């Protein structure tokens, strides 16, 4: 019985030491987002030897971004100076850092990760947690190349006249909607998107659906027709307009 008790104590001690050693490697052995999900880039630890930094003004969408810097502090100082006043952001040693903004420009979310999807998910989660409504990505910093800037495009359709209007490459969704409403009028259906391709399909009844894709127009056309058939219960949906955006 004593031998069994002694064996259990020794085994517990070994596992405790291993656990301590593993957790002490936060950011090296495991992603910081796992061992410290609230990390915002203000303290060290990461997955690479180079550093990037990205800052954004949520109202103007002006930004400052740098990459391949030898330290987080130097990257931070340069990105902040390029962005100017009223900017939010941080430095990072991950591969990606995404900043999302609420539709009213009042709430910002930041997320980092070794993959684009991980950083995006974390940023959207923070924006929504902070009370943001209709949060959407504004910029994604990359540790070894230029950032990805997310722009808005839109298609408007007047079912009475059959006219279509387009808007592309705007910094905010609200700008797209304002431009299309001004051109098309009150009776128009407006569809906005951030993907690279958008298509509008219409049924004989006048019901319309938007399809989007980051691959090509063929994929966005296909999705638009599929959605149109679903909402209209018609097999005669046709693509009447498409748009390349964010390119």
């Amino acid at each position: 019985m004593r031998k069994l008790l002694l064996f259990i104590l020794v085994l517990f001690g070994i596992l405790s030491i291993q656990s301590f050693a593993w957790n002490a490697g936060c950011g090296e052995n495991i992603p910081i987002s796992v061992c410290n999900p609230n990390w915002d880039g203000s303290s060290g630890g990461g997955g690479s030897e180079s550093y990037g930094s990205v800052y954004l003004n949520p109202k103007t969408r002006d930004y400052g971004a740098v990459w391949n810097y030898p330290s987080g502090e130097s990257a931070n100082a340069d990105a902040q100076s390029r962005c100017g006043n009223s900017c939010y952001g941080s430095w990072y040693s991950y591969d990606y850092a995404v900043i999302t903004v609420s539709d009213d420009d009042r709430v910002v979310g930041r997320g980092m990760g070794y993959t684009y999807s991980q950083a995006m998910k974390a940023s959207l989660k923070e924006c929504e947690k902070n009370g943001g409504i209709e949060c959407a990505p504004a910029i994604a910093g990359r540790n070894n190349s230029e950032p990805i800037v997310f722009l808005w495009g839109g298609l408007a359709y007047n079912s009475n006249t059959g006219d279509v209007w387009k808007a592309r490459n705007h910094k905010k969704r609200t700008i797209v909607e304002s431009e299309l409403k001004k051109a098309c009028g009150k009776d128009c259906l407006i569809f906005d998107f951030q993907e690279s391709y958008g298509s509008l399909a219409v049924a004989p009844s006048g019901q319309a659906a938007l399809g989007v894709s980051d691959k090509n127009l063929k994929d966005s056309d296909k999705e638009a027709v599929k959605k149109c058939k679903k909402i209209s219960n018609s097999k005669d949906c046709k693509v009447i307009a498409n748009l390349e955006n964010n390119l």
Side-chain angles (χ1 to χ4, degrees), residues 58-69:
K59 292 189 178 297
T60 65
R61 303 299 166 92
D62 293 333
Y63 69 89
V66 298
W67 54 95
N68 282 337
Y69 272 58

Side-chain angles (χ1 to χ4, degrees), residues 200-211:
L200 188 64
V202 176
S205 62
Q207 292 176 286
L210 175 73

